[in-house]
Amino acid sequence: MLVRILGSAAGGGFPQWNCNCAGCQSTRAGDRNASGRTQSSLAVRADDGSWFLVNASPDVRQQLEGLRDGKPLSVRSSPIAGILLSDGEIDHTAGLMILRESDEPLQIYGTNAVRQGLTGGFSLLRVLKDYCGVNWVDIEPGSKVSLSNNLTNSLNNNDNSGLNVNGLEVEVFSLPSKPPKYMRSTSTVEGDWVVGFTFRDSGSVVTYAPALSELSDSILERFDNSDCILVDGTCWQDNELLALGTSTRTARAMGHLPLSGESGSLTLLSKLSCKRKIFTHINNTNPILIANSPERQIVEKAGMEVAYDGLTIEL
Ligand code: MLT
Ligand code: MN
Ligand code: ZN
């Protein structure tokens, strides 16, 4: 399996347009220890299969350029066979609008709650209907979706797409959920607003959870049974944004377990025996983004990695 981190920053990116925190200032100043990062997204494929996009960030146009390889087969072709959404947050969905030029309906996998969000509070799906259209596939915790089967079906209708059939399966798992801000005032939709994904091909298992508010035993066990985990690295400290005066909410209140502290994610994750353990969806205020910071040393000493844009993981 191949996984490519397309965007390793949380919503806002690094630097964020209206932020002057120490990290954002360093990256603007060209500090080589503070590489810029685009917003949260990754791509996954089986060894000889087609790429699937996991979350569509507002930076998707430049991110997809990184997936182009080989000679194009026709004047128009998509580098991705479908899009999986782990939640309906704006940093994970606004990029769908950028994909409206698609020649074919976008193949999107998401929960029923997320579909309602993208129909109501943030009506992307209504708008896309009048552009490329959408084939929405409802997924829910416990669903196992063979991405190759869906691809085979779409290939039958489209002989010149240039996409290969692959053997990639995704299992959807439940995570503690909160609706996006845009749904909180107008809707009481309960449901799976946030899920995680476990990808499997013939040889490997990769688990992705960019919004993790707690580490239950069952999630830790799932992680431990994976070759590679890609995990929420939003904030170093619970009160990071409060201390800077940039938010009134703690990381936990935003649905993101901080890394540091006794009950932080680093302590628990460092005990797992996966081959690769990688933090991604990292907020611009998190000092682990700075390559020579003490916090980065702590993460690396604990056997974990900090994602960067373009990081390709081959398993
Ligand atoms: C999150 O990850 O919690 C969201 O992206 C925050 C937001 O954009 O409001
Ligand atoms: Mn986010
Ligand atoms: Zn900042």
Side-chain angles (χ1 to χ4, degrees):
M1 193 183 324
L2 272 184
V3 176
R4 185 164 301 158
I5 304 283
L6 299 179
S8 49
F14 184 51
Q16 177 173 316
W17 68 281
N18 62 346
C19 190
N20 299 307
C21 74
C24 286
Q25 292 202 59
S26 297
T27 187
R28 274 193 201 107
D31 180 345
R32 64 185 174 85
N33 286 309
S35 308
R37 283 166 164 84
T38 61
Q39 296 170 80
S40 175
S41 180
L42 57 86
V44 58
R45 68 170 170 87
D47 291 341
D48 56 357
S50 301
W51 287 110
F52 283 80
L53 184 68
V54 191
N55 293 322
S57 94
D59 302 316
V60 69
R61 191 196 66 81
Q62 76 201 76
Q63 291 173 340
L64 289 182
E65 285 302 313
L67 292 183
R68 292 246 168 227
D69 43 29
K71 274 200 169 164
L73 297 173
S74 58
V75 68
R76 284 283 174 87
S77 65
S78 169
I80 52 166
I83 303 140
L84 294 100
L85 301 176
S86 63
D87 55 62
E89 295 289 344
I90 289 178
D91 58 345
H92 283 164
T93 57
L96 294 174
M97 204 62 101
I98 314 291
L99 303 179
R100 69 191 175 284
E101 291 97 354
S102 178
D103 284 331
E104 305 203 344
L106 297 174
Q107 178 88 3
I108 305 179
Y109 304 81
T111 64
N112 178 53
V114 169
R115 184 163 55 80
Q116 292 198 47
L118 299 181
T119 311
F122 185 33
S123 358
L124 288 179
L125 298 181
R126 198 199 56 69
V127 175
L128 285 171
K129 205 164 151 236
D130 294 330
Y131 289 80
C132 53
V134 168
N135 282 333
W136 183 276
V137 181
D138 261 335
I139 52 174
E140 56 183 282
S143 297
K144 281 189 181 172
V145 181
S146 165
L147 296 167
S148 52
N149 286 347
N150 285 295
L151 187 54
T152 307
N153 292 339
S154 75
L155 270 179
N156 288 341
N157 303 326
N158 175 27
D159 287 342
N160 63 358
S161 71
L163 300 171
N164 297 318
V165 174
N166 66 23
L168 186 64
E169 179 192 84
V170 61
E171 181 189 348
V172 183
F173 63 94
S174 174
L175 286 172
S177 268
K178 66 167 177 75
K181 263 188 189 173
Y182 61 77
M183 289 303 280
R184 277 178 223 158
S185 55
T186 54
S187 157
T188 53
V189 177
E190 290 200 3
D192 299 295
W193 286 105
V194 182
V195 295
F197 295 127
T198 295
F199 296 96
R200 291 189 183 86
D201 71 357
S202 54
S204 44
V205 183
V206 174
T207 295
Y208 174 57
L212 195 61
S213 57
E214 60 181 59
L215 273 169
S216 64
D217 288 346
S218 77
I219 293 170
L220 284 169
E221 191 184 339
R222 174 180 294 276
F223 284 173
D224 214 14
N225 289 326
S226 304
D227 299 298
C228 171
I229 55 172
L230 301 150
V231 186
D232 187 339
T234 309
C235 288
W236 178 253
Q237 296 195 73
D238 197 34
N239 71 346
E240 187 166 309
L241 299 176
L242 284 166
L244 283 169
T246 60
S247 172
T248 53
R249 292 195 299 162
T250 61
R252 280 190 170 84
M254 290 169 62
H256 300 292
L257 191 61
L259 275 66
S260 65
E262 258 173 45
S263 58
S265 57
L266 192 55
T267 307
L268 293 164
L269 296 175
S270 62
K271 296 180 185 142
L272 303 179
S273 56
C274 328
K275 276 186 229 149
R276 308 272 308 256
K277 297 181 278 187
I278 303 173
F279 285 116
T280 192
H281 188 281
I282 306 162
N283 197 55
N284 53 73
T285 52
N286 188 335
I288 67 168
L289 286 175
I290 311 299
N292 56 355
S293 68
E295 292 84 357
R296 171 75 74 93
Q297 315 290 313
I298 294 171
V299 166
E300 290 177 351
K301 276 211 181 106
M304 298 210 43
E305 300 173 57
V306 174
Y308 55 87
D309 292 14
L311 171 61
T312 303
I313 303 136
E314 197 169 347
L315 290 153

